[in-house]
Amino acid sequence: MKVFINDKEYNANPDETIIELCDKVGIHIPRFCYHKHLSVVASCRMCLVDVEGVKYAQPACSTPLRDEMRVSTGSEKTKIAQKNSMEFLLINHPLDCPICDQGGECELQDISLEHGDDHSQYMQFKRVVVDKDISPLISTDMTRCIHCSRCVRFGEEISNVKELGLLNRGEDMKIDVFIEEGVSSELSANMIDLCPVGALNNKPYRYKARTWDLKQICGISPHDCIGSNINYHIYNNKIVRAVPSENSEINQTWLSDRDRFGYEGIYAKDRAEKTLIKVDGKLVEIDFDSMSHQVNDLISKNIKEYGQENIGCLISGQSTSEEHFLFQKIFKKLGITNIDHRTKESDFSYQDSYPIMPSLGCNLNDLKKYKNIILVGVNVKTEYPVLSIRLNALAKNNTKVYSFNFNSLEENFSLHHKQIITHDNIDLFLNTSNFSLENGETLFIIGPSVSRSPNQSSILRKISEFSSSIDANIGFLTEFCNSTSGWLLGNLPHRELGGGKPRQIGKNSYEMIKSHLSSYIFYNLEPEFDFFNKQDLEHALDTSKCNIFFTSYITPIIEKYADIIIPITTFAETDGGYINIEGTYQTFQPIVQPSKNIHVGWSILNDILKLNNLGDYSIDEIRGELAESLDGLNFSTPVSDMSDINSNNDMENVIVHDLSRETNETDLIVRRSESLRQVSLMNKKINNKNIISQSDNLQTNVTK
Ligand code: SF4
Ligand code: FES
C-alpha cells in the first residue's frame, strides 16, 4: 500500500496506523496515551495530524492508513491542533518541573516545549488531587496526572493485576488504587516508566539526583534466569536507579520489581569489606595484597594434610560465567573432584541422564509455537515475573497453560487447568484426563520446586515418560540466574566443562555436607539460605578443620565458622556474564567501582590459578576460551527423553511439601534490598487481612 507522509512516499502494511509507520521510518509524532505494547485509546489527542481530505486533524495513533493517503505531520493545521491539545492537557498540571524527579526526562515537559504555547487562556484555579501512599516503590504526585491511562492499561493488559483504576469523570476524574493497601505486584514499578509525567515516580530514588547528572551503564539481571537487560543509573559511583533496557528478544520494555530494586542489596550493612583470617579463635584483618598468597597457602596445606578427596568446593549459581570457568579450572587441576553448584538439591540420581545444561528448549519469542504449556513446580508470577507477561499474552491468544505445583500460589495469567500436587495425586497428575492436548505442540516447563524436591529424580522420570508418550518437549527454569553456567562449565562432580565425563566422579553438594569433609571452600554462598538443609551445613562446618569463604556478605554463620573470609565483588562491581535459560551468553562491565579492600571475584581466582602455575587469564581470554569450549554444543535443543533416569524413589514415596520461595526473596542480594523487604511486609499484611476476612465470612456463614 502506497502512502505519503510529508509528501514523501512510503510502503505501508494494510493494518498499520499512521503513528506505527511514522515510528518505523523515524518521523516524530508527539503522544501521551499511545504506547506500542498497550491498546489504543486515543484519549489525549496529542497525536493529531493533518490528513488530506479530512476536515479536522485526526489522531495518528488510531487512524489506519489507506492506499494513497496523504498525511502532514508539520502543517499549520497539525501545529494548531497539537497546540490546542497541549493547552488542555496543561490546564490542571501544576508545572512544578523544578521540584519534580521527572524533570529532564519528562514527555510532558519535552512535548510542551516543542508543541505547546508559552501562555494559557485558562485563568481559574487549578484542581488539586490528594496523594496516597500507595507503595514502598512508587511515589505519587497525582495533581500532575494527565489521565493518559497507560498505568491502568498496563495492569489490565500486561501484568494482568489490576492495581490502579480511573475513577469518576470530568473535573473529578482521578487515578486511584483498587485495594486500599496499595500496589504490590511483582511488576508494579513498570507503571513508573509508562507514566509520561511525574505523577508516578520511583520512590527509593526520590530527590537523590537530577537525571542529567546520571551516568548510564547497561547490566544483566542477576536475579532470575531470564536475563533481563537493565540500565543502571549512577551518581557519585553509586547506583541510584535501575530502568529496563529494551531487548525485544528477552524482557521487551519491562522489568520485574526485583530486577529494578534488587541492587539496593549491594549497599547492605553486612557487606564484607576486609579480608579476615582466624587467629586464636578471632577474625583479624590481613593485608589486601598478601591475601591471594595466604588463601593459596591454606588450600595447599589442606590438600597436603587431608587429601583432595576430603575437600569440598561449592559455588553459587548466581556467580558469573567467568567465575564459574576459573573456579572449576583451579580445583579440578588441583585434583579435587568434590565440586558442585547445586547447593539447594538433595536428590541427584537424575544427574547422568540430565541434558548438558538446563534450558527452556526454545527462545522466549518461540514460546508462541507451543499450543500447550505445562508448568510443573513453578510459580511464574512470583519467581519469573517478566516471563509471566509473555505467558499472559500467550494465554490470551489461545495457548493452554497448565499449572501443577506444590503450593496454591496464584498466577497472573489464566490457566486452563491448575492442580496442587499432594501426596494423594502425585502419581496421578500426569494423566491424559488432566489435559486436552489435541491442538498442537506441547512443552513442559519444570521449575525450581522440582529441583529442590527430595525426590526430584522420580518426578523428572515420570514427566519424561509422560512427555514421551504424548510427544512433548521438556524445558527448565532454574533457581539462580546462572545455574546454566554451573552445568555447562562443569562445576559438577560428574561432568567436565562442556559436558564431558571426568575420570573420577566426586561427591555432590549434599554428600559433601553429609559426609563431614575436612575442609570446605564456599564461593558466593550464604549458609543461612542457600543450602538444602541449614542444620546439616552448620554441623558440617562445626566438625570441619578449615572453612574458606569467598563472599560479599558476612553472615552470623560465616563469622562463626570461617577460617578465612575473602571479600569479593557483587555483579555490579565486576566484568562478567550470565548464560540465560535460552542459552544466550550476555556480558557486562563493572557498573560501579568496589570499595578498595574488596577483591574482584574472577581476578582473585585467576591469582590462585597463577600461583599454582595453572594459567593466567585476562577477562577477554576467559571469554575466548569459554566460547571456544562451548562452540558447537547444541544446548538449546528441547529435551524429550530422560526416562533412563536412575531413581530409587517410587512416586508413592515422594515427599510433597510446599517448596515455594517467599516472594522477592530469591538470592543473597535481593534479600538485602530494603524496598523489596517493605513490599514483602506489605504483601504479608494483605494476605493476613484476606485470611481474616475469609474466616470472618466463614463465621458469618456458619452463624447464618
Ligand atoms: S498516573 Fe501517569 S500513567 Fe497513570 S494516567 Fe496519570 S499520567 Fe497517565
Ligand atoms: S497518543 Fe493519540 S490520542 Fe493520545
Side-chain angles (χ1 to χ4, degrees):
M1 186 163 77
K2 195 167 67 176
V3 297
F4 297 88
I5 315 270
N6 301 335
D7 294 328
K8 195 169 166 197
E9 186 180 319
Y10 294 97
N11 272 329
N13 298 325
D15 49 1
E16 223 165 12
T17 57
I18 299 174
I19 210 166
E20 281 169 342
L21 179 67
C22 286
D23 280 356
K24 206 162 72 186
V25 299
I27 298 171
H28 169 66
I29 295 183
R31 81 286 305 270
F32 291 114
C33 65
Y34 175 78
H35 186 279
K36 65 180 174 185
H37 289 304
L38 300 174
S39 61
V40 173
V41 287
S43 62
C44 74
R45 317 310 276 183
M46 195 60 228
C47 65
L48 293 176
V49 287
D50 182 2
V51 178
E52 195 180 88
V54 183
K55 188 173 175 191
Y56 299 110
Q58 298 296 301
C61 64
S62 63
T63 307
L65 289 158
R66 55 185 155 68
D67 201 21
E68 298 289 335
M69 193 185 223
R70 285 182 174 269
V71 178
S72 171
T73 65
S75 70
E76 207 43 36
K77 191 153 115 187
T78 301
K79 281 185 190 159
I80 292 171
Q82 291 177 351
K83 197 173 275 188
N84 290 342
S85 297
M86 195 71 241
E87 191 175 351
F88 270 115
L89 288 164
L90 290 180
I91 277 181
N92 281 314
H93 189 79
L95 300 174
D96 57 344
C97 309
I99 55 148
C100 176
D101 263 337
Q102 194 91 356
E105 57 181 7
C106 175
E107 291 175 53
L108 191 71
Q109 199 178 35
D110 295 346
I111 292 174
S112 68
L113 191 72
E114 201 180 335
H115 303 275
D117 209 337
D118 54 4
H119 75 279
S120 170
Q121 300 165 56
Y122 187 74
M123 291 301 153
Q124 281 72 31
F125 284 118
K126 293 186 184 237
R127 85 186 183 139
V128 172
V129 181
V130 179
D131 276 319
K132 280 185 180 167
D133 184 7
I134 63 166
S135 153
L137 309 179
I138 304 172
S139 65
T140 58
D141 288 276
M142 281 308 182
T143 303
R144 297 176 185 151
C145 174
I146 56 164
H147 305 144
C148 71
S149 80
R150 281 190 192 178
C151 56
V152 177
R153 281 174 287 146
F154 173 79
E156 283 171 357
E157 298 162 14
I158 306 293
S159 70
N160 218 14
V161 184
K162 292 179 192 167
E163 298 188 284
L164 294 181
L166 261 176
L167 301 186
N168 309 328
R169 305 193 63 177
E171 187 74 3
D172 295 327
M173 185 186 272
K174 64 172 183 177
I175 295 287
D176 211 338
V177 285
F178 271 118
I179 59 165
E180 204 48 40
E181 281 73 13
V183 168
S184 64
S185 75
E186 292 73 12
L187 293 158
S188 67
N190 287 293
M191 292 188 281
I192 300 169
D193 304 329
L194 287 172
C195 183
V197 301
L200 304 176
N201 255 318
N202 184 318
K203 195 183 251 181
Y205 167 70
R206 198 164 168 88
Y207 304 141
K208 288 240 166 77
R210 301 303 327 225
T211 44
W212 50 87
D213 290 329
L214 301 174
K215 194 168 113 192
Q216 174 171 291
I217 297 184
C218 188
I220 306 300
S221 163
H223 306 303
D224 67 36
C225 61
I226 305 299
S228 295
N229 292 196
I230 306 173
N231 279 328
Y232 289 99
H233 291 161
I234 300 116
Y235 185 64
N236 282 343
N237 192 37
K238 195 168 179 193
I239 302 177
V240 288
R241 183 170 74 164
V243 295
S245 170
E246 184 167 356
N247 184 332
S248 57
E249 307 287 313
I250 299 177
N251 53 305
Q252 299 162 315
T253 50
W254 315 117
L255 212 53
S256 68
D257 291 355
R258 206 164 56 202
D259 288 340
R260 192 184 296 261
F261 296 99
Y263 74 84
E264 288 180 11
I266 69 173
Y267 301 111
K269 285 200 183 78
D270 62 349
R271 247 337 265 275
E273 294 192 318
K274 288 175 193 162
T275 308
L276 300 167
I277 195 158
K278 199 160 266 172
V279 180
D280 298 332
K282 274 199 179 145
L283 287 166
V284 292
E285 189 174 354
I286 54 165
D287 179 32
F288 181 87
D289 296 324
S290 68
M291 187 278 302
S292 43
H293 283 95
Q294 300 235 24
V295 183
N296 192 45
D297 290 350
L298 204 56
I299 294 170
S300 310
K301 189 169 153 241
N302 281 320
I303 292 179
K304 215 164 165 190
E305 276 182 28
Y306 314 118
Q308 283 93 336
E309 67 286 3
N310 279 313
I311 299 176
C313 302
L314 294 150
I315 182 169
S316 162
Q318 198 185 11
S319 296
T320 64
S321 305
E322 294 74 5
E323 289 166 317
H324 272 283
F325 176 82
L326 291 173
F327 190 83
Q328 55 85 32
K329 194 146 200 119
I330 297 170
F331 297 113
K332 286 198 168 158
K333 287 211 168 170
L334 289 175
I336 298 171
T337 52
N338 305 327
I339 299 180
D340 211 344
H341 71 281
R342 301 162 298 170
T343 53
K344 283 199 172 178
E345 299 181 25
S346 65
D347 172 14
F348 297 85
S349 334
Y350 72 93
Q351 66 181 18
D352 289 330
S353 316
Y354 202 70
I356 192 162
M357 78 165 201
S359 149
L360 197 56
C362 66
N363 293 331
L364 292 161
N365 279 343
D366 290 340
L367 276 173
K368 60 178 173 295
K369 82 173 190 213
Y370 290 101
K371 293 283 176 245
N372 308 290
I373 294 180
I374 304 170
L375 306 168
V376 186
V378 55
N379 181 250
V380 182
K381 178 176 180 283
T382 54
E383 295 176 299
Y384 308 94
V386 166
L387 180 61
S388 74
I389 293 177
R390 287 181 185 266
L391 291 184
N392 180 34
L394 292 176
K396 281 183 183 164
N397 203 18
N398 295 332
T399 300
K400 289 181 190 159
V401 187
Y402 300 77
S403 171
F404 298 91
N405 205 355
F406 303 97
N407 60 55
S408 59
L409 290 175
E410 294 296 324
E411 293 288 10
N412 54 347
F413 44 86
S414 27
L415 293 169
H416 187 73
H417 179 81
K418 176 183 172 180
Q419 196 169 311
I420 300 170
I421 302 175
T422 65
H423 235 118
D424 299 331
N425 67 16
I426 181 84
D427 204 18
L428 298 172
F429 84 90
L430 291 168
N431 185 317
T432 39
S433 65
N434 272 338
F435 306 97
S436 45
L437 308 173
E438 68 291 338
N439 64 338
E441 292 200 38
T442 299
L443 175 70
F444 275 87
I445 298 182
I446 302 173
S449 291
V450 171
S451 50
R452 278 194 273 147
S453 162
N455 307 74
Q456 73 159 315
S457 302
S458 304
I459 300 174
L460 287 177
R461 192 184 59 191
K462 191 79 184 168
I463 293 173
S464 170
E465 283 166 1
F466 183 75
S467 75
S468 299
S469 75
I470 59 167
D471 202 19
N473 288 321
I474 299 175
F476 297 89
L477 287 168
T478 56
E479 178 103 28
F480 292 106
C481 66
N482 205 20
S483 304
T484 41
S485 285
W487 276 91
L488 211 50
L489 304 180
N491 275 306
L492 294 163
H494 68 295
R495 285 192 189 162
E496 298 289 352
L497 182 145
K501 279 217 160 81
R503 269 184 296 135
Q504 201 192 333
I505 301 213
K507 290 185 167 57
N508 58 51
S509 66
Y510 188 70
E511 288 166 343
M512 285 184 226
I513 304 296
K514 278 286 189 192
S515 58
H516 292 187
L517 299 176
S518 307
S519 173
Y520 291 99
I521 298 166
F522 299 93
Y523 195 91
N524 198 21
L525 286 160
E526 184 165 12
E528 280 82 350
F529 299 101
D530 290 342
F531 288 84
F532 180 76
N533 187 317
K534 182 181 145 191
Q535 279 74 30
D536 285 350
L537 177 71
E538 263 203 272
H539 202 191
L541 290 171
D542 197 29
T543 52
S544 70
K545 307 280 188 306
C546 179
N547 302 312
I548 299 173
F549 284 92
F550 292 84
T551 180
S552 300
Y553 302 97
I554 302 185
T555 69
I557 293 183
I558 294 182
E559 195 168 9
K560 186 170 174 192
Y561 296 109
D563 289 282
I564 186 163
I565 298 173
I566 302 109
I568 53 165
T569 43
T570 61
F571 73 96
E573 300 139 340
T574 179
D575 284 291
Y578 300 131
I579 299 172
N580 81 350
I581 202 66
E582 305 170 310
T584 307
Y585 176 39
Q586 303 185 94
T587 58
F588 50 87
Q589 61 182 98
I591 296 152
V592 288
Q593 293 308 310
S595 82
K596 70 177 177 8
N597 289 325
I598 294 178
H599 299 268
V600 175
W602 71 266
S603 167
I604 191 69
L605 291 174
N606 189 52
D607 285 350
I608 298 171
L609 207 62
K610 246 187 323 190
L611 288 170
N612 288 287
N613 297 320
L614 298 173
D616 180 9
Y617 291 87
S618 68
I619 193 81
D620 290 335
E621 283 165 346
I622 298 174
R623 287 173 179 165
E625 194 167 313
L626 196 151
E628 212 172 280
S629 40
L630 303 177
D631 195 28
L633 295 177
N634 190 0
F635 43 76
S636 62
T637 315
V639 182
S640 53
D641 189 15
M642 290 189 295
S643 50
D644 58 340
I645 283 175
N646 168 22
S647 166
N648 300 324
N649 298 312
D650 290 332
M651 290 296 274
E652 304 86 73
N653 299 324
V654 163
I655 300 161
V656 175
H657 56 91
D658 183 355
L659 299 159
S660 65
R661 288 179 278 182
E662 280 240 358
T663 310
N664 292 327
E665 292 187 7
T666 55
D667 60 60
L668 78 181
I669 299 172
V670 164
R671 266 174 229 133
R672 289 169 169 80
S673 162
E674 181 52 30
S675 306
L676 293 175
R677 198 183 64 82
Q678 285 177 28
V679 177
S680 197
L681 289 175
M682 183 171 161
N683 272 324
K684 273 184 195 145
K685 231 191 256 174
I686 297 172
N687 290 341
N688 286 344
K689 199 173 157 191
N690 286 346
I691 292 168
I692 291 169
S693 71
Q694 272 167 20
S695 71
D696 279 356
N697 281 345
L698 209 65
Q699 280 184 7
T700 324
N701 290 342
V702 171
T703 325
K704 272 181 189 168

